[in-house]
Amino acid sequence: KTYARRGAFLPKVPFDPLKEGLPPSLLPSTDTSQLLALLVARTTLEEAIGPLERADKTRISCLLGVTSGQELYGQMSSRLRAPEWRAGMRAAGIDEASVEDAVKLIGDSMVPWTEATFPGLLGNVVAGRFANRLDLGGTNAVTDAACASSFAAISMAVDELVLRRADVVLTGGVDTLNDIFMYLCFSKTPALSASGDCRPFDAAA
C-alpha cells in the first residue's frame, strides 16, 4: 500500500516514431523515458541553437541524470515469474492443462521480447539514443546519483564546457518511472511526505 496521494503525471504525448527515426514496431520495446526524452532533447537543442542541420554536431555532448529503474525493466522481468505462477496454481488444486493455459495467457498479455528490448529498457541507453538519433558527436553518458542525478549531470556538463571538450551540452534529468511500484518503495522506506507537501530541508520533513 501507499499513503501518498500526489504525483507528477504527464498527459498523453503525441510521438511520431518515423520522424524520430524509430520503426513503429519497436515502440513497445522502448521505455517511455527514452521516447519522451528524445522529444525534449530535439526541442531543447533547436530552441537553444537553431536548426540542428546547421550546427557542428561533433561538438555537442549529452550528459544526463538517469536513475537506474526503468518502467520497461519491471514489465520484462515479470516474465520470469512463470514458475511461481505454476506453483501457486498447482497448490490451489488447478489441473495441469489449465495451469499451462493460464501461464500462456499471462505471457501473451505482456510486451513481447525483441532484439530491441534490452537496449530499450536500459537507463544508460538514453543519452546514446540522443546521440544516435540526433547525430551528436560529443560525449554521451548518464550518471545515477539517485535524487541528485540531474545535479550531478549538470556538474559534469559544466566541466565538459570549461575543459572545452564541447561547445554545447544537453543536460538535465530523465525519469518517468512514477508507477505504483515506486510509490510502494518510497512508502515502505518511508521517504514520502505524510502531508503530501514536499519540504526536504524542513524540520518536519
Side-chain angles (χ1 to χ4, degrees):
K1 294 181 179 179
T2 178
Y3 56 85
R5 296 180 179 273
R6 292 186 182 176
F9 302 101
L10 297 172
K12 288 185 177 181
V13 178
F15 184 84
D16 184 348
L18 296 179
K19 179 182 176 182
E20 301 302 333
L22 296 171
S25 61
L26 297 187
L27 289 187
S29 302
T30 308
D31 196 86
T32 307
S33 60
Q34 295 187 18
L35 300 175
L36 289 175
L38 183 57
L39 288 179
V40 174
R42 182 185 298 280
T43 302
T44 301
L45 283 176
E46 289 176 346
E47 289 181 354
I49 63 175
L52 290 177
E53 294 76 16
R54 302 178 196 166
D56 181 1
K57 291 186 281 187
T58 65
R59 298 281 298 167
I60 300 178
S61 294
C62 180
L63 297 167
L64 301 170
V66 179
T67 56
S68 57
Q70 302 295 306
E71 180 183 11
L72 192 60
Y73 184 93
Q75 293 179 24
M76 301 314 296
S77 64
S78 64
R79 286 178 160 277
L80 301 176
R81 315 314 298 190
E84 294 168 22
W85 308 337
R86 286 188 177 92
M89 286 186 279
R90 287 167 181 159
I94 298 174
D95 65 274
E96 195 63 25
S98 297
V99 167
E100 291 306 318
D101 287 345
V103 168
K104 184 178 186 308
L105 288 170
I106 294 170
D108 290 346
S109 72
M110 297 179 176
V111 177
W113 271 94
T114 71
E115 63 180 11
T117 299
F118 189 35
L121 60 78
L122 291 173
N124 56 26
V125 171
V126 179
R129 193 173 292 279
F130 291 179
N132 178 267
R133 300 315 326 151
L134 303 179
D135 196 24
L136 308 181
T139 302
N140 79 78
V142 301
T143 182
D144 183 354
C147 294
S149 295
S150 57
F151 291 148
I154 291 169
S155 176
M156 292 165 57
V158 171
D159 292 344
E160 188 88 343
L161 295 169
V162 170
L163 296 173
R164 301 187 184 281
R165 289 195 290 249
D167 299 326
V168 175
V169 183
L170 182 66
T171 189
V174 177
D175 186 359
T176 62
L177 186 57
N178 206 12
D179 64 4
I180 189 60
F181 183 66
M182 281 295 100
Y183 274 80
L184 174 65
C185 290
F186 281 106
S187 294
K188 298 296 274 186
T189 303
L192 299 176
S193 169
S195 69
D197 296 316
C198 187
R199 299 179 301 230
F201 301 109
D202 190 273

PDB file of all heavy atoms in Angstrom, residues 6 10 19 32 35 40 50 105 119 149 164 173 183-184:
ATOM      1  N   ARG A   6      -0.307  12.296  -4.012  1.00  0.00           N
ATOM      2  CA  ARG A   6       0.110  13.276  -5.004  1.00  0.00           C
ATOM      3  C   ARG A   6       1.195  12.696  -5.905  1.00  0.00           C
ATOM      4  O   ARG A   6       1.928  11.797  -5.520  1.00  0.00           O
ATOM      5  CB  ARG A   6       0.652  14.544  -4.333  1.00  0.00           C
ATOM      6  CG  ARG A   6      -0.409  15.340  -3.585  1.00  0.00           C
ATOM      7  CD  ARG A   6       0.158  16.639  -3.065  1.00  0.00           C
ATOM      8  NE  ARG A   6      -0.845  17.378  -2.314  1.00  0.00           N
ATOM      9  CZ  ARG A   6      -0.598  18.512  -1.688  1.00  0.00           C
ATOM     10  NH1 ARG A   6       0.614  19.051  -1.714  1.00  0.00           N
ATOM     11  NH2 ARG A   6      -1.561  19.125  -1.026  1.00  0.00           N
ATOM     12  N   LEU A  10       2.112  12.925 -16.470  1.00  0.00           N
ATOM     13  CA  LEU A  10       2.063  13.555 -17.792  1.00  0.00           C
ATOM     14  C   LEU A  10       0.812  13.120 -18.546  1.00  0.00           C
ATOM     15  O   LEU A  10       0.387  11.975 -18.426  1.00  0.00           O
ATOM     16  CB  LEU A  10       3.289  13.153 -18.613  1.00  0.00           C
ATOM     17  CG  LEU A  10       4.644  13.595 -18.072  1.00  0.00           C
ATOM     18  CD1 LEU A  10       5.755  12.959 -18.895  1.00  0.00           C
ATOM     19  CD2 LEU A  10       4.768  15.107 -18.104  1.00  0.00           C
ATOM     20  N   LYS A  19       9.395  10.141 -37.679  1.00  0.00           N
ATOM     21  CA  LYS A  19      10.124  11.408 -37.614  1.00  0.00           C
ATOM     22  C   LYS A  19      11.362  11.278 -36.737  1.00  0.00           C
ATOM     23  O   LYS A  19      12.396  11.891 -37.003  1.00  0.00           O
ATOM     24  CB  LYS A  19       9.218  12.509 -37.067  1.00  0.00           C
ATOM     25  CG  LYS A  19       9.916  13.867 -36.948  1.00  0.00           C
ATOM     26  CD  LYS A  19       9.004  14.914 -36.361  1.00  0.00           C
ATOM     27  CE  LYS A  19       9.753  16.238 -36.166  1.00  0.00           C
ATOM     28  NZ  LYS A  19       8.893  17.265 -35.538  1.00  0.00           N
ATOM     29  N   THR A  32       9.362   4.306 -22.050  1.00  0.00           N
ATOM     30  CA  THR A  32       8.738   5.624 -22.179  1.00  0.00           C
ATOM     31  C   THR A  32       9.738   6.749 -21.966  1.00  0.00           C
ATOM     32  O   THR A  32       9.693   7.776 -22.647  1.00  0.00           O
ATOM     33  CB  THR A  32       7.593   5.761 -21.151  1.00  0.00           C
ATOM     34  OG1 THR A  32       6.702   4.660 -21.299  1.00  0.00           O
ATOM     35  CG2 THR A  32       6.837   7.057 -21.342  1.00  0.00           C
ATOM     36  N   LEU A  35      11.675   7.584 -25.113  1.00  0.00           N
ATOM     37  CA  LEU A  35      10.874   8.219 -26.162  1.00  0.00           C
ATOM     38  C   LEU A  35      10.560   9.673 -25.822  1.00  0.00           C
ATOM     39  O   LEU A  35      10.758  10.576 -26.647  1.00  0.00           O
ATOM     40  CB  LEU A  35       9.578   7.435 -26.365  1.00  0.00           C
ATOM     41  CG  LEU A  35       9.745   5.974 -26.788  1.00  0.00           C
ATOM     42  CD1 LEU A  35       8.389   5.280 -26.835  1.00  0.00           C
ATOM     43  CD2 LEU A  35      10.454   5.871 -28.136  1.00  0.00           C
ATOM     44  N   VAL A  40      12.039  15.834 -26.004  1.00  0.00           N
ATOM     45  CA  VAL A  40      12.508  17.003 -25.252  1.00  0.00           C
ATOM     46  C   VAL A  40      13.897  17.417 -25.717  1.00  0.00           C
ATOM     47  O   VAL A  40      14.196  18.609 -25.852  1.00  0.00           O
ATOM     48  CB  VAL A  40      12.503  16.714 -23.737  1.00  0.00           C
ATOM     49  CG1 VAL A  40      13.121  17.875 -22.960  1.00  0.00           C
ATOM     50  CG2 VAL A  40      11.088  16.441 -23.250  1.00  0.00           C
ATOM     51  N   GLY A  50      19.104  26.648 -32.705  1.00  0.00           N
ATOM     52  CA  GLY A  50      18.537  26.733 -34.048  1.00  0.00           C
ATOM     53  C   GLY A  50      18.530  25.383 -34.741  1.00  0.00           C
ATOM     54  O   GLY A  50      18.710  24.344 -34.106  1.00  0.00           O
ATOM     55  N   LEU A 105      -1.578 -17.539 -21.356  1.00  0.00           N
ATOM     56  CA  LEU A 105      -2.398 -16.332 -21.474  1.00  0.00           C
ATOM     57  C   LEU A 105      -1.744 -15.147 -20.777  1.00  0.00           C
ATOM     58  O   LEU A 105      -1.754 -14.015 -21.290  1.00  0.00           O
ATOM     59  CB  LEU A 105      -3.787 -16.584 -20.877  1.00  0.00           C
ATOM     60  CG  LEU A 105      -4.713 -17.489 -21.695  1.00  0.00           C
ATOM     61  CD1 LEU A 105      -5.946 -17.857 -20.881  1.00  0.00           C
ATOM     62  CD2 LEU A 105      -5.115 -16.783 -22.995  1.00  0.00           C
ATOM     63  N   PRO A 119      18.248  -2.927 -25.156  1.00  0.00           N
ATOM     64  CA  PRO A 119      18.595  -1.500 -25.152  1.00  0.00           C
ATOM     65  C   PRO A 119      17.397  -0.619 -24.817  1.00  0.00           C
ATOM     66  O   PRO A 119      17.557   0.473 -24.266  1.00  0.00           O
ATOM     67  CB  PRO A 119      19.100  -1.235 -26.574  1.00  0.00           C
ATOM     68  CG  PRO A 119      18.574  -2.360 -27.396  1.00  0.00           C
ATOM     69  CD  PRO A 119      18.475  -3.537 -26.476  1.00  0.00           C
ATOM     70  N   SER A 149      20.634  13.044  -9.337  1.00  0.00           N
ATOM     71  CA  SER A 149      21.181  12.660 -10.635  1.00  0.00           C
ATOM     72  C   SER A 149      21.274  13.840 -11.601  1.00  0.00           C
ATOM     73  O   SER A 149      22.273  14.000 -12.299  1.00  0.00           O
ATOM     74  CB  SER A 149      20.330  11.547 -11.255  1.00  0.00           C
ATOM     75  OG  SER A 149      20.395  10.371 -10.488  1.00  0.00           O
ATOM     76  N   ARG A 164      36.569  22.565 -22.538  1.00  0.00           N
ATOM     77  CA  ARG A 164      36.476  22.755 -23.989  1.00  0.00           C
ATOM     78  C   ARG A 164      36.407  21.444 -24.769  1.00  0.00           C
ATOM     79  O   ARG A 164      36.908  21.334 -25.876  1.00  0.00           O
ATOM     80  CB  ARG A 164      37.639  23.620 -24.497  1.00  0.00           C
ATOM     81  CG  ARG A 164      37.679  24.995 -23.856  1.00  0.00           C
ATOM     82  CD  ARG A 164      38.713  25.885 -24.496  1.00  0.00           C
ATOM     83  NE  ARG A 164      38.799  27.174 -23.819  1.00  0.00           N
ATOM     84  CZ  ARG A 164      37.960  28.190 -23.981  1.00  0.00           C
ATOM     85  NH1 ARG A 164      36.936  28.070 -24.800  1.00  0.00           N
ATOM     86  NH2 ARG A 164      38.128  29.324 -23.322  1.00  0.00           N
ATOM     87  N   GLY A 173      17.831  15.907 -16.263  1.00  0.00           N
ATOM     88  CA  GLY A 173      17.460  14.614 -15.708  1.00  0.00           C
ATOM     89  C   GLY A 173      16.328  13.977 -16.493  1.00  0.00           C
ATOM     90  O   GLY A 173      15.484  14.670 -17.067  1.00  0.00           O
ATOM     91  N   TYR A 183       5.835   4.116  -5.808  1.00  0.00           N
ATOM     92  CA  TYR A 183       5.116   4.621  -4.638  1.00  0.00           C
ATOM     93  C   TYR A 183       5.252   3.643  -3.474  1.00  0.00           C
ATOM     94  O   TYR A 183       5.455   4.046  -2.322  1.00  0.00           O
ATOM     95  CB  TYR A 183       3.644   4.845  -4.975  1.00  0.00           C
ATOM     96  CG  TYR A 183       3.366   6.195  -5.573  1.00  0.00           C
ATOM     97  CD1 TYR A 183       3.622   6.446  -6.914  1.00  0.00           C
ATOM     98  CD2 TYR A 183       2.883   7.234  -4.788  1.00  0.00           C
ATOM     99  CE1 TYR A 183       3.385   7.690  -7.467  1.00  0.00           C
ATOM    100  CE2 TYR A 183       2.639   8.486  -5.321  1.00  0.00           C
ATOM    101  CZ  TYR A 183       2.893   8.711  -6.669  1.00  0.00           C
ATOM    102  OH  TYR A 183       2.673   9.945  -7.208  1.00  0.00           O
ATOM    103  N   LEU A 184       5.155   2.359  -3.775  1.00  0.00           N
ATOM    104  CA  LEU A 184       5.307   1.336  -2.739  1.00  0.00           C
ATOM    105  C   LEU A 184       6.701   1.409  -2.121  1.00  0.00           C
ATOM    106  O   LEU A 184       6.850   1.404  -0.897  1.00  0.00           O
ATOM    107  CB  LEU A 184       5.056  -0.046  -3.340  1.00  0.00           C
ATOM    108  CG  LEU A 184       5.325  -1.241  -2.416  1.00  0.00           C
ATOM    109  CD1 LEU A 184       4.362  -1.232  -1.244  1.00  0.00           C
ATOM    110  CD2 LEU A 184       5.226  -2.536  -3.189  1.00  0.00           C
TER     111      LEU A 184
END
